[in-house]
Amino acid sequence: MKYLPLVYLSTFSVGAYAGTLVSSSPPANISGPVAKAFLSYSIEFAWFAEYSGNLSHPNTFTNHLLNNFNDVQGHKPYLRVGGNTQDNALFDPLLKVAVNGTFGNPDIAYPTTLTYGESFFEGYQVFDNVKFSQGFNLGANGTVGFNNLKSTLPLACKALNESNLAYFEIGNEADQYASKKSNRGPIRAAGWNVSLWLDDWRNRSATLESLYAESGCENTPFRLTAPSFAGKTWIEPAFEAGFADYAENVTIIAAHSYVAGANSLGVTLQDTLMNHATTKSVVDGHVDLMSAVAPYTDLPYMIGEGNSLSSQGKSGVSNSFGAALWNIDFALYAASVGIWRIHLHNGVGYNYAAWHPSSWNGTTPVTKAPYYGNIATAATLGNVARNKTQISSIPMSNTTDSAYAIYKDGSLASIAILNMAGYNYTKPPTTRPSKTYSFSISDESKYKAGSVKRLMANGSDAITGITWDGYSYNYNLANGKPSRLTNITNSEQEEPVKVINGAFNVTLPHSSFTLVELA
């Protein structure tokens, strides 16, 4: 592993230069406190058993990767189990394995026909201090749908209780039911609309609640998340149609979010992901929806499933270090505008997945580039359950630059900076370019220095060789546990920035992230 020369990792003091002004206390328009487990994951229903394992063979790799979050932020991400396959999945009480799937379409990275057995629910019991969201099938109609729900609810309630249930979810991306296909053909007929969905969802949620008493669910709270649409166009009409009148058990509003389609024309790493203007535009669309539904509900709003590019992402883009930088920008900007939580979607063989969990079909477990962006985000936010944490986006002049001020208990604690100018190490110039960023804190006497933590790789097109503050989380090194790489500079070795009269400079190589923790 070869990184850039140490000179590009150095920082510099600044004299009286003003730089970008940052308030030492939260600005008046700052969003509310960041929620616990703000950065969480979504796992495709069909692939959950690969990520979790079972009681006799738990997936220790996944467990270590989740534990790393606890180390840097004091708690673990929530795991949402759902996705397209939750609406194809039918319970088989005779099945001796967790799942049995048939891949009917070679272009889709999940089975189109899926059954699951009782051992599937063991996955909810293998990780300590993790909360889960269980997805129920809304796609199956009539007697099939009722019997499927009646068979699985007792098993879900046995595995999930007050301590480890985040919420239940009924159906996934129902706004696309008329176009999606499963083993049963189209999930819904042409003419499917918001009103028909509301009737279906209302009846299924009422059925679910009515089955609670006979399903051994006395220790499992009845908490739902909805509507979980793929797009934004149905959400406001759903509320206009009366969704809030039937949502007394909904605890959080969920919508899905992807920047673009993996096969969309014009998709590039630089313009589509490593571009703050694009990221801001995508997230601001959710802010508009939050405002639109505010007259109907005061529930928090989350991105219940999302990632970079839909259809499992694009190779060389969604699995690159540039995508790790996008993950940070997307998460921090979402937190800054009041998004309650984000569940980043994962599945076996998915390009945008944070990690590949197992040796499925002859493959090898791998910690992928997006995971490093996720762990850096968690470290940037810190323990939000212990300290009231708020975040403010700092305006920057270029779309390849992004910066955030993080406040803890009412005081500026750190500044996060992204340099998203592309640097392709496979086609490098003679030296890697860098850029110096200058900041000026409003309280000129409060801070004297700042320690520096960096997310680094050889370039934006790298898919391996990534470190956060000098640590690797590779499977091959320590099964996902942090491994200190002695040839990489970390915050204990790098000279702190000097803050003089509230001002400081910090230099970032192109395609990198830096967190300056102030003191």
Side-chain angles (χ1 to χ4, degrees), residues 65-93:
L65 293 177
L66 297 177
N67 285 340
N68 295 335
F69 281 85
N70 191 69
D71 293 341
V72 301
Q73 67 178 14
H75 55 271
K76 300 177 186 179
Y78 292 179
L79 300 183
R80 175 244 187 186
V81 180
N84 285 343
T85 54
Q86 83 181 63
D87 283 323
N88 293 348
L90 296 175
F91 181 70
D92 180 357

Side-chain angles (χ1 to χ4, degrees), residues 105-117:
N105 186 338
D107 296 325
I108 298 178
Y110 50 76
T112 51
T113 302
L114 181 70
T115 56
Y116 62 108

Side-chain angles (χ1 to χ4, degrees), residues 19-97:
T20 302
L21 183 63
V22 180
S23 175
S24 59
S25 57
N29 62 345
I30 198 169
S31 64
V34 177
K36 183 178 180 180
F38 167 77
L39 193 153
S40 289
Y41 288 114
S42 169
I43 298 175
E44 186 65 47
F45 193 97
W47 294 122
F48 176 55
E50 293 295 320
Y51 279 84
S52 65
N54 55 35
L55 290 173
S56 60
H57 295 88
N59 190 315
T60 57
F61 178 44
T62 293
N63 191 46
H64 292 158
L65 293 177
L66 297 177
N67 285 340
N68 295 335
F69 281 85
N70 191 69
D71 293 341
V72 301
Q73 67 178 14
H75 55 271
K76 300 177 186 179
Y78 292 179
L79 300 183
R80 175 244 187 186
V81 180
N84 285 343
T85 54
Q86 83 181 63
D87 283 323
N88 293 348
L90 296 175
F91 181 70
D92 180 357
L94 301 179
L95 190 64
K96 300 303 181 183
V97 294

